[in-house]
Amino acid sequence: MRQGFAIDLLGQLQAVAAGVTIELESALEARRVTAAGERLGLTPRVAIRVNPDFDLKGAGMRMGGGAQQFGVDAEQVPALLADLAGRGLDVLGFHIFAGSQNLRSDQICETQRRTVELALRLAPGLRDGIRYLNLGGGFGIPYFDRDQPLDLAPIGENLGRLLTEQIRPALGSAKVAIELGRYLAGDAGLYVTRIVDRKVSRGKTFLVVDGGLHHQLAASGNFGQVIRRNFPVALAHRVDAEPAETASVVGCLCTPLDLLADEAALPAAQVGDLVVVFLAGAYGLTASPTAFLGHPAPPEILL
Amino acid sequence: MRQGFAIDLLGQLQAVAAGVTIELESALEARRVTAAGERLGLTPRVAIRVNPDFDLKGAGMRMGGGAQQFGVDAEQVPALLADLAGRGLDVLGFHIFAGSQNLRSDQICETQRRTVELALRLAPGLRDGIRYLNLGGGFGIPYFDRDQPLDLAPIGENLGRLLTEQIRPALGSAKVAIELGRYLAGDAGLYVTRIVDRKVSRGKTFLVVDGGLHHQLAASGNFGQVIRRNFPVALAHRVDAEPAETASVVGCLCTPLDLLADEAALPAAQVGDLVVVFLAGAYGLTASPTAFLGHPAPPEILL
């Protein structure tokens, strides 16, 4: 047996046994899933994660195009499909993900057009045609001051046209998916933390809270941001009050990284007030180092 | 009662009852600790965390000097001490922390000299003199290619001179502390993760491991680094082998942030090999988002 081949096969066995669609990241993963299917006497349901030959312009995070850790390069897909033919996998289609966190609808539309075009170009390699097509995500949310919310209308029109003019004629009733994780969840979560101290140090006002980056790392700027910018913050019970001062909201950890808002314009804040950090519903608590420095984890409350 | 005064008093009550020395970060914290002592009929043991009027030049992380979230500005300390006199606190001394992760012994020596000078300047404000003096940390470890290990000899000589010529004559048998957390622990921990896939995407080689930034965030460059640089990495069982290729070690998470080594020179790696990431003993597992994307946490093994 090829070295390393058996690594993680337990995961593949469980996934195949559960009948989920496994999105294959590589030829090696395809071989593992094939072996899992043989061992179980089942036909694994799979799709190919494709690294497109274009990227999502203006994406906050590029996840396709060029050399990527994700998926199979588009130009390698035909050979992989040929190699997989007759190997007992049910290849349903493709997952093509070019990037995430984009606020420009024109760029998302263009990427979706190119994604469909790529899928249709790859379709002849699939024995039973494309029955599943994941067009990826990209729908951004406005985190920072000058960010404008995404204009959904043109994206809806574009998707409608792609469906009626290209996807349905070519792929019939294929299941078409888009991924909206952050777009749906980001704004649905708030991080709330209490001011336990208010300090002025050499002219600068600090509001010290009982939480910090161990609860909401992304707001501290330490989760992928190149230039740190403030997430939107407010004082609970004074959300509509006019800003009255410039203050930095810092966490309770003994590191200067623990900065939730740098010189933010806030209403006059007092010890005991609650600071609300918005957009904590995605890349929030689970993306934070909750065990750092032994502080307690916050409760998560569903309203 | 002043708003917010009672916040977190439970913590102060527990700390005072346990008899630990509490390093006060502010005048408000001093009042809380005083109240906790009164309620318990105990005399709290405290020290003042001082934000010095200088910083640690060349520190990887500045934690003193200028406006800071930490401690009490040096120039505010005399007034605070006067305010605390006769309030039932046993003020043992000072904690002065100027910065961390410095690899220049001359800069650490200078900072220690200035720290002692500042402490002696503040000493007259203490009724019973300084009995505890924490000179802070700063001792760095070499993370990156061009980093040189810290030369300890001059620091030892400098500290010896400070002790015999200044601290002992002025402060007698005061307890003097330095903080060496990362310096002692950083190199004592290794993060080990297994290669589960090897991919070439458009000319670039990726080694995909079964771990990632959820286990070792700092190595991904997402914990305070402004410019991402590789932590030292090696292949277990081939630590002494010559580099044979350039490969990027990427984690198993679906984010391009999950990069443990970018285009590192490594011996030829195969699926199944173990990748070792060094310097994981400080800011390692507990400083990582272990719950991110629902992957299992790694075991910690003490050897």
Side-chain angles (χ1 to χ4, degrees):
Chain A
M1 186 176 277
R2 181 187 287 260
Q3 188 191 6
F5 181 79
I7 289 171
D8 263 4
L9 208 53
L10 179 62
Q12 274 86 10
L13 286 166
Q14 290 172 323
V16 172
V20 301
T21 299
I22 303 172
E23 304 204 336
L24 301 174
E25 292 279 345
S26 71
L28 178 58
E29 190 172 23
R31 288 202 295 277
R32 286 194 187 117
V33 172
T34 303
E38 286 168 2
R39 214 175 283 184
L40 292 165
L42 295 171
T43 300
R45 296 157 52 86
V46 302
I48 314 280
R49 165 78 176 249
V50 179
N51 176 25
D53 43 11
F54 55 86
D55 58 8
L56 171 52
K57 285 184 191 65
M61 196 164 279
R62 208 169 61 95
M63 295 175 68
Q68 285 290 337
Q69 65 214 72
F70 306 111
V72 178
D73 294 346
E75 59 274 23
Q76 296 181 17
V77 170
L80 175 62
L81 288 174
D83 186 55
L84 295 183
R87 296 225 186 189
L89 294 178
D90 185 13
V91 187
L92 299 171
F94 303 112
H95 178 192
I96 305 174
F97 197 106
S100 77
Q101 182 50 26
N102 192 312
L103 293 170
R104 291 270 306 270
S105 56
D106 57 332
Q107 293 170 340
I108 292 178
C109 288
E110 187 199 334
T111 294
Q112 291 178 334
R113 284 192 294 270
R114 299 186 70 174
T115 300
V116 170
E117 181 190 19
L118 172 59
L120 296 185
R121 185 152 37 94
L122 296 174
L126 284 176
R127 198 189 47 191
D128 300 313
I130 295 177
R131 287 162 289 154
Y132 165 73
L133 178 57
N134 185 326
L135 300 175
F139 293 59
I141 59 177
Y143 281 100
F144 308 119
D145 252 0
R146 279 158 294 184
D147 287 353
Q148 292 299 316
L150 186 60
D151 183 6
L152 279 188
I155 300 176
E157 285 164 29
N158 185 64
L159 273 176
R161 254 197 316 276
L162 286 170
L163 275 169
T164 55
E165 296 175 10
Q166 298 196 51
I167 296 174
R168 293 297 166 231
L171 307 180
S173 60
K175 182 175 174 184
V176 179
I178 54 174
E179 296 181 53
L180 299 172
R182 184 206 313 253
Y183 188 79
L184 294 178
D187 194 30
L190 306 172
Y191 174 55
V192 181
T193 178
R194 190 179 296 276
I195 298 174
V196 294
D197 210 339
R198 181 191 162 90
K199 298 163 67 166
V200 178
S201 169
R202 294 171 186 147
K204 190 168 168 178
T205 300
F206 293 93
L207 306 171
V208 185
V209 296
D210 61 358
L213 71 76
H214 52 311
H215 297 165
Q216 183 55 14
L217 182 67
S220 79
N222 284 288
F223 201 74
Q225 295 96 315
V226 176
I227 298 167
R228 193 202 169 286
R229 289 185 289 179
N230 286 341
F231 274 41
V233 295
L235 298 183
H237 312 299
R238 297 187 208 178
V239 172
D240 296 328
E242 287 297 312
E245 65 178 2
T246 296
S248 293
V249 180
V250 297
C252 62
L253 305 182
C254 58
T255 165
L257 301 179
D258 198 6
L259 174 63
L260 294 179
D262 188 30
E263 305 198 348
L266 289 170
Q270 295 177 10
V271 172
D273 284 351
L274 297 173
V275 173
V276 179
V277 180
F278 293 92
L279 302 170
Y283 305 95
L285 182 60
T286 62
S288 303
T290 47
F292 192 43
L293 300 178
H295 286 261
E300 285 186 288
I301 302 169
L302 200 64
L303 298 177
Chain B
M1 185 176 278
R2 181 189 288 261
Q3 188 190 6
F5 181 78
I7 289 172
D8 263 5
L9 208 53
L10 179 62
Q12 274 85 12
L13 286 165
Q14 290 172 323
V16 171
V20 301
T21 299
I22 302 172
E23 305 205 335
L24 301 175
E25 293 280 345
S26 72
L28 177 59
E29 191 172 21
R31 288 202 297 277
R32 288 195 186 117
V33 172
T34 303
E38 286 168 1
R39 214 175 284 182
L40 292 164
L42 295 171
T43 301
R45 298 156 51 86
V46 301
I48 313 281
R49 166 79 175 248
V50 179
N51 176 25
D53 43 11
F54 55 86
D55 58 8
L56 171 52
K57 285 182 191 66
M61 195 164 280
R62 208 170 62 94
M63 295 175 68
Q68 285 289 337
Q69 65 214 72
F70 306 110
V72 179
D73 293 346
E75 59 274 22
Q76 296 181 16
V77 170
L80 175 63
L81 288 174
D83 186 54
L84 295 182
R87 296 227 185 187
L89 294 179
D90 185 13
V91 187
L92 299 171
F94 303 112
H95 178 193
I96 305 174
F97 197 106
S100 77
Q101 182 51 26
N102 192 310
L103 293 170
R104 290 271 307 270
S105 56
D106 57 331
Q107 293 169 339
I108 292 178
C109 289
E110 188 199 334
T111 295
Q112 290 178 334
R113 283 192 294 272
R114 298 186 70 173
T115 301
V116 170
E117 181 191 21
L118 172 59
L120 297 184
R121 185 151 39 93
L122 297 173
L126 284 176
R127 197 189 48 191
D128 300 314
I130 294 177
R131 286 163 290 152
Y132 165 74
L133 178 57
N134 185 326
L135 300 176
F139 293 59
I141 59 177
Y143 281 100
F144 308 117
D145 253 0
R146 278 158 294 186
D147 286 354
Q148 292 299 315
L150 186 61
D151 184 6
L152 279 189
I155 300 176
E157 285 164 27
N158 186 62
L159 273 176
R161 254 196 318 276
L162 287 170
L163 275 170
T164 54
E165 296 176 9
Q166 298 196 50
I167 297 174
R168 293 298 166 230
L171 308 179
S173 59
K175 181 175 170 182
V176 179
I178 53 175
E179 296 182 53
L180 299 173
R182 183 206 315 254
Y183 188 79
L184 293 178
D187 195 29
L190 306 172
Y191 174 55
V192 180
T193 179
R194 190 179 297 275
I195 298 174
V196 294
D197 211 339
R198 181 191 163 89
K199 299 163 67 167
V200 178
S201 170
R202 293 170 187 150
K204 191 166 167 180
T205 300
F206 293 94
L207 305 171
V208 185
V209 296
D210 62 358
L213 70 77
H214 51 311
H215 297 166
Q216 183 55 14
L217 182 67
S220 78
N222 285 288
F223 201 74
Q225 294 96 316
V226 177
I227 297 167
R228 193 203 169 285
R229 290 185 288 180
N230 285 341
F231 274 41
V233 295
L235 297 183
H237 312 299
R238 297 188 208 177
V239 171
D240 296 327
E242 288 296 313
E245 65 178 2
T246 297
S248 294
V249 180
V250 297
C252 63
L253 305 182
C254 58
T255 165
L257 301 179
D258 198 7
L259 174 63
L260 294 179
D262 187 30
E263 304 198 348
L266 289 170
Q270 295 176 10
V271 172
D273 284 350
L274 298 173
V275 173
V276 179
V277 180
F278 294 92
L279 302 171
Y283 304 94
L285 181 61
T286 62
S288 303
T290 47
F292 191 43
L293 300 179
H295 285 262
E300 285 186 289
I301 301 169
L302 201 63
L303 299 177

